[in-house]
Amino acid sequence: QVQLVQSGAEVKKPGASVKVSCKASGYAFTSYTMHWVRQAPGQRLEWMGWINAGNGNTKYSQKFQGRVTLTRDTSASTAYMDLSSLRSEDTAVYYCARDVVHYYDSGAFDYWGQGILVTVSS
Amino acid sequence: SSELTQDPAVSVALGQTVRITCQGDSLRSYYASWYQQKPGQAPVLVIYVKGNRPSGIPDRFSDSISGTTASLTITGAQAEDEADYYCSSRDSSGDVVFGGGTKLTVL
């Protein structure tokens, strides 16, 4: 069965960076686009960007352009999200999510990681 | 506007039909998808691109579009349908955007 398992919760100070991992199993990792979505407490979901797990191409939300970097390790079937220059407003649950259509960015996500809480606090 | 607007809360009697709406200019150009989210859990995709349902999603979930308003309809709501529902689509730059969510209460 398809599973996306994310790394554990993080606590960071303002100005620091965080790198979150998302290990995929149960499907051909390189055949699907992986997206990253976050949700601040009590807020709406917020899309951050995607990475084509096959060729490594990326697209970032304009809001996060310059602060987020998406990478992947095909040998480990793992995607990574790196967010820099953290501020308190970045405190949120961060999810990886697989695109529902293989080899495509459909903008819809059928499998999600469990989510991890990143807390930014001095 | 690239924003998607949803009613904050909707209620429905058990077994009745409820419609959850999502309004946004981008819906003239892009399909809507819908997610169900229960407290402390990751979202679950219930409808995507032209009314497709992922496997395991009951057929009581359906969608429709009229102009700039997309709707998710639950026909015969069940207690387990109580959750937050989010619509998503794209803005003019192609970025995925989400609505503010609708809290569905099943009475």
Side-chain angles (χ1 to χ4, degrees), chain A residues 24-114:
Chain A
S25 61
Y27 73 97
F29 178 70
T30 55
S31 296
Y32 289 82
T33 297
M34 190 73 78
H35 299 259
W36 289 84
V37 177
R38 78 176 188 181
Q39 187 172 35
Q43 301 300 307
R44 70 178 67 192
L45 299 161
E46 190 171 33
W47 178 78
M48 301 179 70
W50 57 250
I51 183 166
N52 180 316
N55 61 20
N57 288 348
T58 55
K59 176 176 167 58
Y60 301 124
S61 164
Q62 291 184 0
K63 175 174 179 175
F64 297 100
Q65 190 83 37
R67 274 213 306 146
V68 68
T69 303
L70 302 182
T71 57
R72 93 286 189 226
D73 178 347
T74 57
S75 66
S77 297
T78 301
Y80 301 92
M81 187 281 298
D82 199 318
L83 186 63
S84 62
S85 303
L86 291 170
R87 35 206 187 233
S88 58
E89 310 89 90
D90 293 319
T91 294
V93 175
Y94 288 76
Y95 297 98
C96 57
R98 192 191 79 165
D99 201 287
V100 68
V101 180
H102 56 77
Y103 302 121
Y104 193 64
D105 163 31
S106 75
F109 321 132
D110 59 349
Y111 287 94
W112 294 64
Q114 81 274 21

Side-chain angles (χ1 to χ4, degrees), chain A residues 39 44 62 105-107 109, chain B residues 35 37 45 86 90 95 98:
Chain A
Q39 187 172 35
R44 70 178 67 192
Q62 291 184 0
D105 163 31
S106 75
F109 321 132
Chain B
Y35 298 87
Q37 187 179 34
L45 181 66
Y86 292 90
R90 296 185 187 272
D95 289 356
F98 290 91

Side-chain angles (χ1 to χ4, degrees), chain B residues 24-101:
Chain B
D25 291 343
S26 65
L27 295 174
R28 288 193 186 277
S29 305
Y30 298 103
Y31 293 110
S33 297
W34 291 91
Y35 298 87
Q36 175 193 74
Q37 187 179 34
K38 296 183 179 180
Q41 298 183 18
V44 172
L45 181 66
V46 296
I47 293 282
Y48 69 99
V49 182
K50 289 195 287 186
N52 288 288
R53 282 188 310 276
S55 61
I57 301 300
D59 61 6
R60 64 177 178 270
F61 291 90
S62 63
D63 78 330
S64 60
I65 181 78
S66 177
T68 60
T69 300
S71 300
L72 173 72
T73 300
I74 307 174
T75 303
Q78 303 299 303
E80 61 265 30
D81 299 335
E82 185 163 291
D84 293 332
Y85 289 84
Y86 292 90
C87 62
S88 75
S89 185
R90 296 185 187 272
D91 65 14
S92 56
S93 64
D95 289 356
V96 174
V97 291
F98 290 91

